[in-house]
Amino acid sequence: MTEPASAQEITISRVFDAPREVVWKAWTEPDQIASWWGPHGWTNPLSKITMNVRPGGAFRIVSISDADGTEMPSQGVYREVVEPERLVFEEPADGSWHEGAVSVVTLSDLGDGRTEVVLQATIHTSDDMRAQAEHGMKGSLDRLAEHLV
Amino acid sequence: MATDQLSATFAALADPTRRAILARLAEGEATVNQLAEPFPITVQAVSKHLKVLERAGLVTRGRSAQLRPSRLKGEALREAADWLAGYRRFWEGSFDRLDGHLRQIQKGPAND
């Protein structure tokens, strides 16, 4: 049986053929974010991007669907900014398509000009679900979790 | 994507009593009185929680006037799981594009 919480934590990693400083700038400069933020088929107009990359600073990126013009805002607050290796941002539980998440982005210098980026995202409800499971409702929640698979 | 529906689902799931009610309903349908039994709260309070769960599409209630047993609906929870899959797609797609972007800007020192 899968833990209910495991479905609520997402880790994605990728090795990029670029030095860490270059990758860091791609994450922290609006005109670069504009080129890659969001899934395929979405465009990010520079005029709709604001980023204050410092702890406590806010960001907002509005992605627009190439297919039908639908707007998909991403917004949140930077919690940790450690150039060029660690970026933590929190997206609130409203107003955003991928909402209610804390994402930790770690950039590792592989020493050969490449950089590994690991994104660990935790959806807020996962902690609640796990706390609940630990409070003795595990059996019932396991059954409930079957609906989550 | 029905963001409002998902917000309602996650908001409904954020409350421990409502999760407990869902867990109970995962075992089979139950009336408000049956649902209230294990909780130190009133039947009225349980009824309120049921309304939230109903609005979130997580629960349906029977038509019979007096008992109106509640039943778990799987779709909303499945949609929440789909949302997580969507989150993953968002980042997989972003990383693909970041890869392309990094290749592009490193092609030559004088781009643009």
Side-chain angles (χ1 to χ4, degrees):
Chain A
M1 184 75 242
T2 314
E3 291 287 323
S6 68
Q8 314 274 332
E9 282 174 11
I10 294 171
T11 301
I12 296 169
S13 64
R14 188 80 65 94
V15 173
F16 295 98
D17 194 2
R20 185 160 66 166
E21 285 71 23
V22 173
V23 179
W24 175 263
K25 282 183 179 161
W27 276 87
T28 53
E29 294 181 355
D31 59 335
Q32 294 209 51
I33 281 265
S35 300
W36 65 266
W37 183 269
H40 298 282
W42 294 80
T43 302
N44 311 299
L46 195 51
S47 62
K48 288 182 180 268
I49 299 177
T50 52
M51 295 165 59
N52 184 6
V53 190
R54 57 171 184 78
F59 69 90
R60 181 175 165 87
I61 302 160
V62 179
S63 308
I64 296 175
S65 165
D66 298 339
D68 61 8
T70 303
E71 293 197 353
M72 171 172 70
S74 308
Q75 59 192 355
V77 172
Y78 295 104
R79 290 295 174 214
E80 289 179 47
V81 179
V82 186
E83 184 176 358
E85 58 189 49
R86 186 175 159 89
L87 196 59
V88 178
F89 54 91
E90 189 171 346
E91 294 157 276
D94 63 8
S96 173
W97 180 79
H98 48 91
E99 58 196 345
V102 175
S103 300
V104 179
V105 181
T106 310
L107 286 64
S108 302
D109 185 348
L110 296 183
D112 56 3
R114 294 183 306 152
T115 305
E116 184 185 38
V117 176
V118 178
L119 179 130
Q120 286 174 292
T122 306
I123 315 299
H124 289 308
T125 50
S126 68
D127 295 340
D128 294 337
M129 294 287 274
R130 189 186 303 147
Q132 198 63 25
E134 283 165 3
H135 276 84
M137 289 190 37
K138 204 166 175 326
S140 301
L141 274 171
D142 278 354
R143 244 162 284 140
L144 180 60
E146 284 166 23
H147 295 271
L148 281 165
V149 174
Chain B
M1 165 151 311
T3 307
D4 290 349
Q5 176 64 58
L6 280 171
S7 298
T9 304
F10 282 122
L13 288 170
D15 181 271
T17 303
R18 286 198 288 272
R19 285 201 303 277
I21 289 171
L22 288 175
R24 166 64 186 83
L25 290 175
E27 294 167 9
E29 62 176 36
T31 64
V32 177
N33 283 316
Q34 289 169 326
L35 286 171
E37 265 168 34
F39 300 111
I41 54 174
T42 62
V43 169
Q44 285 83 353
V46 169
S47 200
K48 269 188 187 167
H49 282 306
L50 277 175
K51 280 197 183 112
V52 175
L53 290 169
E54 213 174 352
R55 270 202 300 274
L58 289 163
V59 156
T60 51
R61 304 184 71 183
R63 296 257 175 260
S64 72
Q66 285 305 308
L67 295 173
R68 301 197 66 203
S70 299
R71 218 172 331 162
L72 189 66
K73 269 173 83 181
E75 302 106 80
L77 283 172
R78 221 167 283 125
E79 211 178 302
D82 288 348
W83 177 85
L84 288 165
Y87 192 95
R88 178 174 281 281
R89 270 198 304 281
F90 180 99
W91 283 109
E92 295 282 6
S94 292
F95 277 22
D96 286 351
R97 295 173 75 189
L98 176 55
D99 188 53
H101 169 72
L102 290 168
R103 284 177 200 282
Q104 190 72 31
I105 61 168
Q106 290 187 111
K107 262 185 184 168
N111 52 75
D112 289 327

